[in-house]
Amino acid sequence: MTSQSSQASQTPQSPHTFQVDLRGLVDLLSHHLYSSPKVYLRELLQNAVDAITARRAEEPDAPARVRLFAEGGALRVEDSGVGLTESDVHSLLATIGRSSKRADGLQEVRSDFLGQFGIGLLACFVVAERIRVVSRSARTPDAAPVEWTATDDGSYTVRTLPDEARPEPGTTVHLVARPGAAEWLSHARVLSLARDFGSLLPYDVRVGEEAVTDLPAPWDRPYPSPATRRVALARHCHDLFGFTPLDAIELDVPLAGVRGVAYVLPSAVSPAQRVGHRVHLKGMLLTERAEQLLPEWAFFVRCVLDTDSLRPTASRESLYEDETLAAVREALGERIRGWLTGLAAGDPERLAAFLSVHYLGVKSLARHDREMLRTMLPWLPFETTDGRLSLEEFAQRHPVVHFTRTVEEYRQVAPIASAQGVGVINGGYTYDSELVEALPSVRPGTMVAELDADTVTAHLDAPDPDEELALAGFLSAARAKLDPLGCDVVLRAFHPLSVPALHLDDRSSRHEQARAEAEEQADDLWAGILGSLRGSAPRARLVLNHLNPLIRRIGALRDPELIGTATESLYGQALLMAQRPLRPADSALLNRAFIGLLEWATHSESGPGEGGRP
Protein backbone atom coordinates (compact mmCIF):
# COMPACT_ATOMS: atom_id res chain seq x y z
CA MET A 1 0.00 0.00 0.00
CA THR A 2 2.85 2.30 0.92
CA SER A 3 4.77 1.41 -2.23
CA GLN A 4 1.73 2.09 -4.44
CA SER A 5 1.19 5.44 -2.75
CA SER A 6 4.84 6.36 -3.23
CA GLN A 7 4.70 5.43 -6.91
CA ALA A 8 1.52 7.46 -7.34
CA SER A 9 3.07 10.51 -5.72
CA GLN A 10 6.04 10.28 -8.09
CA THR A 11 3.89 10.11 -11.22
CA PRO A 12 4.52 13.24 -13.36
CA GLN A 13 1.60 15.64 -13.26
CA SER A 14 0.49 17.68 -16.25
CA PRO A 15 1.11 21.44 -15.74
CA HIS A 16 -1.90 23.70 -15.50
CA THR A 17 -2.28 27.27 -16.74
CA PHE A 18 -3.64 30.06 -14.57
CA GLN A 19 -7.05 31.29 -15.68
CA VAL A 20 -7.28 35.08 -15.57
CA ASP A 21 -10.57 36.80 -14.85
CA LEU A 22 -10.00 40.03 -16.78
CA ARG A 23 -12.98 41.81 -15.22
CA GLY A 24 -11.64 41.03 -11.75
CA LEU A 25 -8.15 42.11 -12.79
CA VAL A 26 -9.45 45.43 -14.11
CA ASP A 27 -11.29 45.97 -10.82
CA LEU A 28 -8.05 45.23 -8.97
CA LEU A 29 -6.15 47.74 -11.08
CA SER A 30 -8.70 50.51 -10.76
CA HIS A 31 -9.41 50.15 -7.04
CA HIS A 32 -6.10 48.99 -5.59
CA LEU A 33 -3.08 49.49 -7.88
CA TYR A 34 -3.89 52.85 -9.44
CA SER A 35 -5.04 55.89 -7.50
CA SER A 36 -7.23 57.21 -10.33
CA PRO A 37 -8.54 56.19 -13.77
CA LYS A 38 -6.45 59.04 -15.23
CA VAL A 39 -3.40 56.77 -15.37
CA TYR A 40 -4.80 55.15 -18.50
CA LEU A 41 -3.58 58.12 -20.53
CA ARG A 42 -0.12 57.91 -19.00
CA GLU A 43 0.04 54.26 -20.09
CA LEU A 44 -0.94 55.20 -23.65
CA LEU A 45 1.63 57.99 -23.78
CA GLN A 46 4.22 55.70 -22.25
CA ASN A 47 3.63 52.95 -24.80
CA ALA A 48 3.85 55.47 -27.65
CA VAL A 49 7.05 57.08 -26.34
CA ASP A 50 8.67 53.68 -25.72
CA ALA A 51 7.77 52.57 -29.25
CA ILE A 52 9.41 55.69 -30.71
CA THR A 53 12.47 55.16 -28.49
CA ALA A 54 12.74 51.57 -29.71
CA ARG A 55 12.54 52.62 -33.36
CA ARG A 56 15.08 55.41 -32.94
CA ALA A 57 17.51 52.97 -31.37
CA GLU A 58 17.74 51.40 -34.85
CA GLU A 59 16.77 54.43 -36.98
CA PRO A 60 18.11 57.61 -35.31
CA ASP A 61 16.39 59.83 -37.90
CA ALA A 62 12.97 58.15 -37.63
CA PRO A 63 10.00 60.50 -37.04
CA ALA A 64 8.98 61.06 -33.42
CA ARG A 65 5.30 61.99 -33.32
CA VAL A 66 2.40 61.16 -30.99
CA ARG A 67 -1.08 62.37 -31.89
CA LEU A 68 -4.24 62.03 -29.76
CA PHE A 69 -7.78 62.60 -31.06
CA ALA A 70 -10.74 62.53 -28.64
CA GLU A 71 -14.35 62.79 -29.75
CA GLY A 72 -17.72 61.27 -28.90
CA GLY A 73 -16.60 58.96 -26.11
CA ALA A 74 -13.76 57.53 -28.18
CA LEU A 75 -10.01 58.17 -28.24
CA ARG A 76 -7.44 57.51 -30.98
CA VAL A 77 -3.71 57.59 -30.24
CA GLU A 78 -1.25 57.44 -33.14
CA ASP A 79 2.53 57.08 -32.86
CA SER A 80 5.40 56.73 -35.31
CA GLY A 81 7.09 54.06 -33.25
CA VAL A 82 8.58 50.65 -33.98
CA GLY A 83 5.20 48.92 -34.51
CA LEU A 84 4.29 45.23 -34.24
CA THR A 85 4.04 42.20 -36.51
CA GLU A 86 1.33 39.55 -36.14
CA SER A 87 3.67 37.31 -34.16
CA ASP A 88 4.52 40.28 -31.88
CA VAL A 89 0.84 40.80 -31.23
CA HIS A 90 0.27 37.19 -30.24
CA SER A 91 3.32 37.01 -27.99
CA LEU A 92 3.08 40.47 -26.40
CA LEU A 93 -0.44 41.92 -26.34
CA ALA A 94 -2.15 38.63 -25.62
CA THR A 95 0.04 37.71 -22.63
CA ILE A 96 -0.67 39.63 -19.46
CA GLY A 97 2.47 40.71 -17.63
CA ARG A 98 4.96 40.43 -20.50
CA SER A 99 6.89 43.56 -21.45
CA SER A 100 7.51 44.32 -25.10
CA LYS A 101 10.77 45.96 -24.08
CA ARG A 102 12.28 42.49 -23.45
CA ALA A 103 11.90 41.38 -27.04
CA ASP A 104 14.03 41.39 -30.17
CA GLY A 105 17.39 42.43 -28.82
CA LEU A 106 16.23 45.65 -27.17
CA GLN A 107 17.51 44.74 -23.74
CA GLU A 108 20.63 46.85 -24.27
CA VAL A 109 18.58 50.06 -24.68
CA ARG A 110 16.05 49.19 -22.03
CA SER A 111 17.20 52.00 -19.73
CA ASP A 112 15.72 54.44 -22.24
CA PHE A 113 12.21 53.06 -21.77
CA LEU A 114 9.66 54.43 -19.33
CA GLY A 115 7.77 51.19 -18.77
CA GLN A 116 9.16 48.38 -16.66
CA PHE A 117 6.21 46.14 -15.86
CA GLY A 118 4.42 45.21 -19.07
CA ILE A 119 0.96 46.09 -17.79
CA GLY A 120 0.56 48.37 -20.80
CA LEU A 121 -2.78 48.43 -22.53
CA LEU A 122 -4.47 46.46 -19.77
CA ALA A 123 -4.78 49.67 -17.74
CA CYS A 124 -6.95 51.17 -20.48
CA PHE A 125 -9.76 48.80 -19.52
CA VAL A 126 -10.20 51.01 -16.45
CA VAL A 127 -12.04 53.49 -18.73
CA ALA A 128 -12.67 51.50 -21.93
CA GLU A 129 -14.84 48.51 -22.72
CA ARG A 130 -13.09 47.83 -26.05
CA ILE A 131 -9.53 48.37 -27.25
CA ARG A 132 -8.49 48.15 -30.90
CA VAL A 133 -4.83 48.29 -31.92
CA VAL A 134 -3.68 48.68 -35.54
CA SER A 135 0.08 48.40 -36.02
CA ARG A 136 2.72 48.09 -38.72
CA SER A 137 6.26 47.01 -37.95
CA ALA A 138 9.23 49.23 -38.84
CA ARG A 139 11.58 46.25 -38.48
CA THR A 140 9.66 44.17 -41.04
CA PRO A 141 8.45 46.73 -43.61
CA ASP A 142 7.00 44.09 -45.95
CA ALA A 143 4.77 42.66 -43.20
CA ALA A 144 1.08 43.55 -43.47
CA PRO A 145 -0.58 45.75 -40.85
CA VAL A 146 -2.13 43.77 -38.03
CA GLU A 147 -5.24 44.47 -35.97
CA TRP A 148 -5.73 43.32 -32.36
CA THR A 149 -9.17 43.87 -30.82
CA ALA A 150 -9.97 43.06 -27.19
CA THR A 151 -12.96 43.51 -24.91
CA ASP A 152 -13.16 43.68 -21.15
CA ASP A 153 -14.55 40.14 -20.91
CA GLY A 154 -11.06 38.80 -21.72
CA SER A 155 -11.63 37.85 -25.38
CA TYR A 156 -9.57 39.16 -28.29
CA THR A 157 -9.19 38.70 -32.05
CA VAL A 158 -6.20 39.18 -34.34
CA ARG A 159 -6.26 39.66 -38.11
CA THR A 160 -4.11 41.14 -40.86
CA LEU A 161 -5.26 44.19 -42.82
CA PRO A 162 -4.64 45.62 -46.27
CA ASP A 163 -1.56 47.83 -46.64
CA GLU A 164 -3.64 51.00 -46.88
CA ALA A 165 -5.01 50.43 -43.35
CA ARG A 166 -1.64 51.62 -41.95
CA PRO A 167 0.73 52.69 -44.76
CA GLU A 168 3.51 53.95 -42.44
CA PRO A 169 5.21 52.10 -39.54
CA GLY A 170 3.76 52.80 -36.13
CA THR A 171 0.74 52.02 -34.01
CA THR A 172 -2.78 53.41 -33.60
CA VAL A 173 -4.79 52.61 -30.47
CA HIS A 174 -8.59 53.08 -30.48
CA LEU A 175 -10.53 53.17 -27.21
CA VAL A 176 -14.31 53.05 -26.78
CA ALA A 177 -15.46 54.29 -23.37
CA ARG A 178 -17.21 51.98 -20.96
CA PRO A 179 -20.60 53.21 -19.61
CA GLY A 180 -20.09 56.14 -17.24
CA ALA A 181 -16.48 56.77 -18.31
CA ALA A 182 -17.02 58.89 -21.44
CA GLU A 183 -15.85 62.04 -19.64
CA TRP A 184 -12.38 60.53 -19.27
CA LEU A 185 -12.16 60.36 -23.07
CA SER A 186 -13.40 63.89 -23.76
CA HIS A 187 -11.11 66.32 -25.60
CA ALA A 188 -10.76 68.71 -22.64
CA ARG A 189 -9.91 65.95 -20.18
CA VAL A 190 -7.47 64.23 -22.56
CA LEU A 191 -5.69 67.54 -23.25
CA SER A 192 -5.45 68.35 -19.55
CA LEU A 193 -4.10 64.91 -18.65
CA ALA A 194 -1.68 64.83 -21.57
CA ARG A 195 -0.19 68.19 -20.55
CA ASP A 196 0.03 67.12 -16.93
CA PHE A 197 1.74 63.82 -17.69
CA GLY A 198 3.71 64.69 -20.81
CA SER A 199 4.80 68.33 -20.68
CA LEU A 200 8.49 67.31 -20.47
CA LEU A 201 8.45 64.42 -22.96
CA PRO A 202 11.25 64.65 -25.57
CA TYR A 203 9.00 64.02 -28.59
CA ASP A 204 6.33 65.99 -30.47
CA VAL A 205 3.06 65.19 -28.67
CA ARG A 206 -0.21 66.89 -29.63
CA VAL A 207 -3.91 66.54 -28.81
CA GLY A 208 -5.55 67.48 -32.08
CA GLU A 209 -3.58 70.57 -33.09
CA GLU A 210 -2.70 71.65 -29.55
CA ALA A 211 0.84 71.06 -28.32
CA VAL A 212 1.37 69.07 -25.15
CA THR A 213 5.10 69.35 -24.57
CA ASP A 214 6.65 72.55 -23.22
CA LEU A 215 10.42 72.26 -23.65
CA PRO A 216 12.95 73.07 -22.47
CA ALA A 217 11.88 72.75 -18.85
CA PRO A 218 11.62 76.08 -17.00
CA TRP A 219 14.80 75.35 -15.01
CA ASP A 220 16.75 74.55 -18.22
CA ARG A 221 15.79 77.67 -20.18
CA PRO A 222 18.22 80.55 -20.71
CA TYR A 223 17.29 83.87 -19.08
CA PRO A 224 18.84 87.33 -19.60
CA SER A 225 19.55 87.83 -15.87
CA PRO A 226 19.28 86.09 -12.46
CA ALA A 227 16.41 88.40 -11.55
CA THR A 228 14.50 87.42 -14.70
CA ARG A 229 15.13 83.78 -13.91
CA ARG A 230 13.73 84.17 -10.38
CA VAL A 231 10.60 85.85 -11.73
CA ALA A 232 10.08 83.13 -14.35
CA LEU A 233 10.54 80.32 -11.84
CA ALA A 234 8.22 82.05 -9.37
CA ARG A 235 5.57 82.20 -12.10
CA HIS A 236 6.12 78.52 -12.87
CA CYS A 237 5.71 77.65 -9.19
CA HIS A 238 2.48 79.62 -8.96
CA ASP A 239 1.08 77.93 -12.07
CA LEU A 240 2.14 74.47 -10.88
CA PHE A 241 1.62 74.54 -7.10
CA GLY A 242 -0.56 77.61 -6.53
CA PHE A 243 1.82 79.69 -4.40
CA THR A 244 4.53 82.28 -4.98
CA PRO A 245 7.76 80.98 -3.41
CA LEU A 246 10.13 82.83 -1.13
CA ASP A 247 12.96 81.58 -3.32
CA ALA A 248 13.90 78.89 -5.85
CA ILE A 249 16.76 76.44 -5.28
CA GLU A 250 18.46 74.82 -8.27
CA LEU A 251 18.56 71.01 -8.09
CA ASP A 252 21.24 69.76 -10.48
CA VAL A 253 22.75 66.36 -9.71
CA PRO A 254 24.32 65.11 -12.97
CA LEU A 255 25.62 61.84 -11.54
CA ALA A 256 22.07 60.91 -10.51
CA GLY A 257 20.51 62.25 -13.70
CA VAL A 258 18.43 64.78 -11.77
CA ARG A 259 17.49 68.28 -12.91
CA GLY A 260 14.83 70.47 -11.33
CA VAL A 261 14.05 73.12 -8.77
CA ALA A 262 12.93 73.30 -5.14
CA TYR A 263 10.51 76.09 -4.26
CA VAL A 264 10.62 77.52 -0.74
CA LEU A 265 7.14 77.64 0.79
CA PRO A 266 5.97 81.18 1.68
CA SER A 267 4.30 80.15 4.95
CA ALA A 268 5.27 77.98 7.89
CA VAL A 269 4.36 74.29 7.92
CA SER A 270 4.57 71.66 10.61
CA PRO A 271 7.73 69.52 10.58
CA ALA A 272 5.43 66.50 10.73
CA GLN A 273 3.63 67.55 7.54
CA ARG A 274 5.25 65.87 4.55
CA VAL A 275 4.61 67.80 1.34
CA GLY A 276 4.37 66.01 -1.98
CA HIS A 277 6.92 66.57 -4.75
CA ARG A 278 6.44 66.23 -8.53
CA VAL A 279 8.80 63.72 -10.11
CA HIS A 280 9.13 63.17 -13.86
CA LEU A 281 10.81 60.00 -15.07
CA LYS A 282 12.50 60.58 -18.46
CA GLY A 283 10.03 63.41 -19.06
CA MET A 284 6.86 61.53 -18.04
CA LEU A 285 5.18 62.61 -14.82
CA LEU A 286 5.55 59.74 -12.37
CA THR A 287 3.96 61.21 -9.26
CA GLU A 288 3.07 64.51 -7.66
CA ARG A 289 3.08 63.02 -4.16
CA ALA A 290 6.68 61.81 -3.73
CA GLU A 291 7.14 62.30 0.01
CA GLN A 292 10.44 60.43 0.45
CA LEU A 293 12.38 62.46 -2.13
CA LEU A 294 14.02 64.87 0.35
CA PRO A 295 15.43 64.52 3.89
CA GLU A 296 12.85 64.94 6.64
CA TRP A 297 14.30 68.28 7.73
CA ALA A 298 13.63 69.83 4.29
CA PHE A 299 9.89 70.15 4.88
CA PHE A 300 9.95 73.84 3.91
CA VAL A 301 10.38 73.25 0.15
CA ARG A 302 8.36 71.65 -2.61
CA CYS A 303 10.18 70.16 -5.58
CA VAL A 304 9.61 69.45 -9.22
CA LEU A 305 12.30 67.53 -11.10
CA ASP A 306 13.08 65.15 -13.92
CA THR A 307 15.25 62.08 -13.46
CA ASP A 308 16.37 59.04 -15.41
CA SER A 309 17.80 57.03 -12.51
CA LEU A 310 15.06 56.51 -9.94
CA ARG A 311 12.93 53.35 -9.96
CA PRO A 312 9.12 53.53 -9.95
CA THR A 313 6.90 51.12 -8.06
CA ALA A 314 4.60 48.70 -9.88
CA SER A 315 1.84 51.29 -10.21
CA ARG A 316 4.38 53.88 -11.46
CA GLU A 317 2.83 56.39 -9.08
CA SER A 318 5.58 56.52 -6.43
CA LEU A 319 9.29 55.87 -5.99
CA TYR A 320 10.90 52.59 -5.01
CA GLU A 321 12.97 52.94 -1.84
CA ASP A 322 16.47 51.71 -2.70
CA GLU A 323 20.10 52.81 -2.55
CA THR A 324 19.70 55.06 -5.57
CA LEU A 325 16.84 56.98 -3.99
CA ALA A 326 18.82 57.27 -0.74
CA ALA A 327 21.79 58.71 -2.66
CA VAL A 328 19.59 61.16 -4.56
CA ARG A 329 17.91 62.23 -1.30
CA GLU A 330 21.30 62.94 0.25
CA ALA A 331 22.49 64.85 -2.82
CA LEU A 332 19.36 67.01 -2.95
CA GLY A 333 19.74 67.70 0.77
CA GLU A 334 23.28 68.93 0.07
CA ARG A 335 21.95 71.35 -2.55
CA ILE A 336 19.44 72.82 -0.10
CA ARG A 337 22.09 72.98 2.64
CA GLY A 338 24.42 74.79 0.22
CA TRP A 339 21.70 77.31 -0.60
CA LEU A 340 21.29 78.13 3.10
CA THR A 341 25.03 78.51 3.58
CA GLY A 342 25.18 80.83 0.57
CA LEU A 343 22.43 83.04 1.99
CA ALA A 344 24.23 83.25 5.33
CA ALA A 345 27.43 84.28 3.60
CA GLY A 346 26.11 86.74 1.04
CA ASP A 347 22.44 87.65 1.42
CA PRO A 348 21.50 88.15 5.09
CA GLU A 349 18.27 89.99 4.25
CA ARG A 350 16.87 87.05 2.28
CA LEU A 351 18.09 84.67 4.99
CA ALA A 352 16.33 86.70 7.69
CA ALA A 353 13.12 86.66 5.63
CA PHE A 354 13.42 82.90 5.23
CA LEU A 355 14.15 82.27 8.92
CA SER A 356 11.23 84.41 10.03
CA VAL A 357 9.02 81.75 8.42
CA HIS A 358 11.01 78.50 8.45
CA TYR A 359 13.37 78.69 11.43
CA LEU A 360 12.07 75.29 12.61
CA GLY A 361 13.33 73.60 9.47
CA VAL A 362 16.79 75.05 9.86
CA LYS A 363 16.86 74.10 13.55
CA SER A 364 15.92 70.56 12.58
CA LEU A 365 18.83 70.47 10.12
CA ALA A 366 21.26 72.05 12.59
CA ARG A 367 20.56 69.30 15.15
CA HIS A 368 22.38 66.77 12.96
CA ASP A 369 24.76 69.04 11.07
CA ARG A 370 27.36 70.79 13.21
CA GLU A 371 28.61 72.88 10.29
CA MET A 372 25.09 74.16 9.66
CA LEU A 373 24.70 74.95 13.37
CA ARG A 374 27.96 76.91 13.29
CA THR A 375 26.80 78.80 10.18
CA MET A 376 23.38 79.57 11.60
CA LEU A 377 24.48 80.58 15.12
CA PRO A 378 24.19 84.32 14.41
CA TRP A 379 20.77 83.89 12.81
CA LEU A 380 18.59 81.31 14.58
CA PRO A 381 16.21 83.03 17.05
CA PHE A 382 15.59 81.74 20.59
CA GLU A 383 13.36 82.97 23.41
CA THR A 384 15.55 84.16 26.28
CA THR A 385 15.34 86.29 29.43
CA ASP A 386 17.19 88.97 27.43
CA GLY A 387 14.61 88.95 24.65
CA ARG A 388 14.63 87.10 21.33
CA LEU A 389 18.31 86.47 20.54
CA SER A 390 20.55 84.10 18.64
CA LEU A 391 22.65 81.60 20.55
CA GLU A 392 25.78 83.51 19.54
CA GLU A 393 24.51 86.80 20.99
CA PHE A 394 23.30 85.13 24.18
CA ALA A 395 26.58 83.26 24.73
CA GLN A 396 28.50 86.51 24.34
CA ARG A 397 26.46 88.09 27.14
CA HIS A 398 26.49 85.22 29.66
CA PRO A 399 29.48 83.12 30.77
CA VAL A 400 27.11 80.24 31.54
CA VAL A 401 24.26 79.49 29.16
CA HIS A 402 21.38 78.26 31.32
CA PHE A 403 18.34 76.67 29.71
CA THR A 404 15.13 74.90 30.66
CA ARG A 405 13.77 71.83 28.91
CA THR A 406 10.10 72.81 29.06
CA VAL A 407 8.13 75.99 28.52
CA GLU A 408 6.53 75.54 31.96
CA GLU A 409 9.91 75.50 33.69
CA TYR A 410 10.98 78.60 31.78
CA ARG A 411 7.88 80.50 32.83
CA GLN A 412 8.48 79.53 36.44
CA VAL A 413 12.06 80.74 36.66
CA ALA A 414 12.47 83.41 33.96
CA PRO A 415 11.31 86.50 35.94
CA ILE A 416 13.31 85.58 39.04
CA ALA A 417 16.42 84.40 37.20
CA SER A 418 16.47 87.58 35.13
CA ALA A 419 16.25 89.74 38.27
CA GLN A 420 19.19 87.81 39.75
CA GLY A 421 21.26 88.38 36.60
CA VAL A 422 21.00 84.75 35.49
CA GLY A 423 20.37 84.43 31.73
CA VAL A 424 18.01 81.63 30.70
CA ILE A 425 17.03 80.21 27.30
CA ASN A 426 13.63 78.63 26.82
CA GLY A 427 14.51 75.18 25.51
CA GLY A 428 10.94 73.94 25.63
CA TYR A 429 10.18 74.59 21.98
CA THR A 430 10.91 72.09 19.21
CA TYR A 431 14.64 71.28 18.86
CA ASP A 432 15.77 74.20 21.08
CA SER A 433 17.16 72.27 24.06
CA GLU A 434 19.08 69.93 21.71
CA LEU A 435 20.68 72.88 19.95
CA VAL A 436 21.64 74.59 23.21
CA GLU A 437 23.28 71.39 24.45
CA ALA A 438 25.19 71.14 21.14
CA LEU A 439 26.52 74.70 21.49
CA PRO A 440 29.91 73.75 23.07
CA SER A 441 30.68 71.48 20.10
CA VAL A 442 30.70 74.45 17.70
CA ARG A 443 31.69 77.19 20.17
CA PRO A 444 34.52 75.79 22.29
CA GLY A 445 34.72 77.11 25.82
CA THR A 446 31.00 77.77 26.14
CA MET A 447 29.45 76.43 29.36
CA VAL A 448 25.89 75.11 29.16
CA ALA A 449 23.82 74.11 32.20
CA GLU A 450 20.22 73.07 32.66
CA LEU A 451 18.41 75.37 35.07
CA ASP A 452 16.20 73.46 37.49
CA ALA A 453 14.36 74.33 40.67
CA ASP A 454 17.39 73.56 42.88
CA THR A 455 19.63 75.87 40.86
CA VAL A 456 17.14 78.72 41.06
CA THR A 457 16.68 78.28 44.79
CA ALA A 458 20.45 78.27 45.25
CA HIS A 459 20.67 81.69 43.56
CA LEU A 460 18.15 83.18 45.99
CA ASP A 461 19.35 84.77 49.24
CA ALA A 462 18.45 83.14 52.55
CA PRO A 463 16.94 85.54 55.13
CA ASP A 464 18.65 86.37 58.40
CA PRO A 465 18.39 83.31 60.72
CA ASP A 466 16.83 85.38 63.50
CA GLU A 467 14.14 86.69 61.18
CA GLU A 468 13.38 83.19 59.89
CA LEU A 469 13.21 81.89 63.47
CA ALA A 470 10.68 84.61 64.34
CA LEU A 471 8.50 83.35 61.48
CA ALA A 472 8.76 79.68 62.50
CA GLY A 473 5.13 79.48 63.65
CA PHE A 474 3.85 81.03 60.43
CA LEU A 475 6.03 78.77 58.25
CA SER A 476 4.93 75.69 60.19
CA ALA A 477 1.24 76.51 59.65
CA ALA A 478 1.85 77.25 55.97
CA ARG A 479 3.70 73.96 55.43
CA ALA A 480 0.94 72.00 57.13
CA LYS A 481 -1.60 73.61 54.79
CA LEU A 482 0.26 72.72 51.58
CA ASP A 483 1.57 69.33 52.66
CA PRO A 484 -1.48 67.46 51.25
CA LEU A 485 -0.70 69.05 47.88
CA GLY A 486 2.86 67.70 47.90
CA CYS A 487 4.38 71.17 48.24
CA ASP A 488 6.94 72.52 50.72
CA VAL A 489 7.25 76.15 51.86
CA VAL A 490 10.62 77.94 52.04
CA LEU A 491 11.56 81.55 52.79
CA ARG A 492 14.03 83.45 50.60
CA ALA A 493 14.86 87.05 49.74
CA PHE A 494 14.92 87.89 46.03
CA HIS A 495 14.08 90.46 43.40
CA PRO A 496 11.83 91.74 41.99
CA LEU A 497 10.13 92.84 45.20
CA SER A 498 6.74 92.82 43.46
CA VAL A 499 6.72 88.99 43.31
CA PRO A 500 5.37 87.71 46.64
CA ALA A 501 5.81 83.98 45.97
CA LEU A 502 7.36 81.67 43.41
CA HIS A 503 6.25 78.10 42.64
CA LEU A 504 9.15 75.82 41.71
CA ASP A 505 9.19 72.17 40.76
CA ASP A 506 10.94 69.91 38.28
CA ARG A 507 9.93 67.05 36.02
CA SER A 508 10.59 64.37 38.62
CA SER A 509 8.40 66.08 41.21
CA ARG A 510 5.62 66.50 38.64
CA HIS A 511 5.85 62.82 37.73
CA GLU A 512 5.64 61.84 41.38
CA GLN A 513 2.67 64.15 41.86
CA ALA A 514 0.88 62.63 38.86
CA ARG A 515 1.60 59.13 40.19
CA ALA A 516 0.19 60.00 43.62
CA GLU A 517 -2.99 61.43 42.07
CA ALA A 518 -3.46 58.33 39.93
CA GLU A 519 -2.95 56.14 43.01
CA GLU A 520 -5.70 57.98 44.89
CA GLN A 521 -8.20 57.47 42.05
CA ALA A 522 -7.28 53.85 41.22
CA ASP A 523 -8.90 50.66 42.49
CA ASP A 524 -7.13 48.46 45.05
CA LEU A 525 -5.16 46.51 42.45
CA TRP A 526 -3.84 49.50 40.54
CA ALA A 527 -3.34 51.51 43.72
CA GLY A 528 -1.01 48.77 44.96
CA ILE A 529 0.91 48.74 41.69
CA LEU A 530 1.21 52.54 41.60
CA GLY A 531 2.18 52.57 45.27
CA SER A 532 5.08 50.27 44.53
CA LEU A 533 6.33 52.85 42.03
CA ARG A 534 6.50 55.59 44.67
CA GLY A 535 9.74 57.50 44.24
CA SER A 536 11.87 59.77 46.36
CA ALA A 537 11.65 62.77 44.03
CA PRO A 538 11.99 66.25 45.54
CA ARG A 539 8.69 67.95 46.27
CA ALA A 540 7.50 71.15 44.69
CA ARG A 541 8.32 74.35 46.57
CA LEU A 542 6.45 77.55 47.28
CA VAL A 543 9.23 80.12 47.75
CA LEU A 544 8.01 83.12 49.77
CA ASN A 545 9.78 86.43 49.10
CA HIS A 546 10.84 87.87 52.47
CA LEU A 547 11.47 91.25 50.81
CA ASN A 548 7.88 91.56 49.66
CA PRO A 549 5.74 93.79 51.98
CA LEU A 550 2.70 91.54 51.67
CA ILE A 551 4.67 88.49 52.82
CA ARG A 552 5.93 90.46 55.81
CA ARG A 553 2.36 91.39 56.80
CA ILE A 554 1.09 87.83 56.30
CA GLY A 555 3.99 86.53 58.37
CA ALA A 556 2.79 88.63 61.31
CA LEU A 557 -0.62 86.90 61.37
CA ARG A 558 -1.45 84.75 64.39
CA ASP A 559 -4.80 83.25 63.32
CA PRO A 560 -4.02 79.71 61.99
CA GLU A 561 -7.16 79.70 59.84
CA LEU A 562 -6.26 83.02 58.25
CA ILE A 563 -2.65 81.89 57.71
CA GLY A 564 -3.97 78.81 55.88
CA THR A 565 -6.24 80.91 53.66
CA ALA A 566 -3.43 83.34 52.87
CA THR A 567 -1.03 80.48 52.08
CA GLU A 568 -3.50 78.89 49.69
CA SER A 569 -4.01 82.26 48.01
CA LEU A 570 -0.24 82.72 47.54
CA TYR A 571 0.07 79.17 46.20
CA GLY A 572 -2.72 79.69 43.66
CA GLN A 573 -1.35 83.07 42.56
CA ALA A 574 2.12 81.54 42.05
CA LEU A 575 0.63 78.79 39.86
CA LEU A 576 -1.19 81.36 37.75
CA MET A 577 1.96 83.47 37.39
CA ALA A 578 3.86 80.40 36.13
CA GLN A 579 1.02 79.72 33.65
CA ARG A 580 0.84 76.16 34.86
CA PRO A 581 -2.18 74.03 33.95
CA LEU A 582 -4.35 73.71 37.03
CA ARG A 583 -5.33 70.32 38.43
CA PRO A 584 -8.83 69.88 39.85
CA ALA A 585 -7.34 70.11 43.35
CA ASP A 586 -5.63 73.40 42.44
CA SER A 587 -8.86 74.86 41.06
CA ALA A 588 -10.71 73.84 44.22
CA LEU A 589 -7.99 75.43 46.33
CA LEU A 590 -8.19 78.71 44.42
CA ASN A 591 -11.94 78.82 44.82
CA ARG A 592 -11.70 78.00 48.54
CA ALA A 593 -9.03 80.64 49.14
CA PHE A 594 -10.99 83.30 47.26
CA ILE A 595 -14.15 82.63 49.24
CA GLY A 596 -12.16 82.54 52.49
CA LEU A 597 -10.59 85.92 51.83
CA LEU A 598 -13.99 87.43 51.01
CA GLU A 599 -15.44 86.08 54.23
CA TRP A 600 -12.49 87.40 56.24
CA ALA A 601 -12.75 90.82 54.61
CA THR A 602 -16.50 91.16 55.20
CA HIS A 603 -16.24 89.89 58.80
CA SER A 604 -13.45 92.34 59.53
CA GLU A 605 -15.60 95.24 58.39
CA SER A 606 -18.62 94.22 60.50
CA GLY A 607 -19.03 95.20 64.15
CA PRO A 608 -18.63 92.89 67.17
CA GLY A 609 -22.38 92.65 67.50
CA GLU A 610 -22.55 91.19 64.04
CA GLY A 611 -20.12 88.40 64.75
CA GLY A 612 -17.08 90.18 63.29
CA ARG A 613 -13.52 89.68 64.42
CA PRO A 614 -11.93 92.39 66.64
Side-chain angles (χ1 to χ4, degrees), residues 64-83:
R65 299 186 304 273
V66 181
R67 297 291 184 267
L68 297 91
F69 304 94
E71 184 179 2
L75 174 65
R76 185 173 85 255
V77 182
E78 302 175 353
D79 69 65
S80 57
V82 68

Side-chain angles (χ1 to χ4, degrees), residues 258-275:
V258 171
R259 284 284 295 146
V261 62
Y263 293 115
V264 181
L265 295 169
S267 56
V269 294
S270 167
Q273 178 181 341
R274 302 299 298 273
V275 297

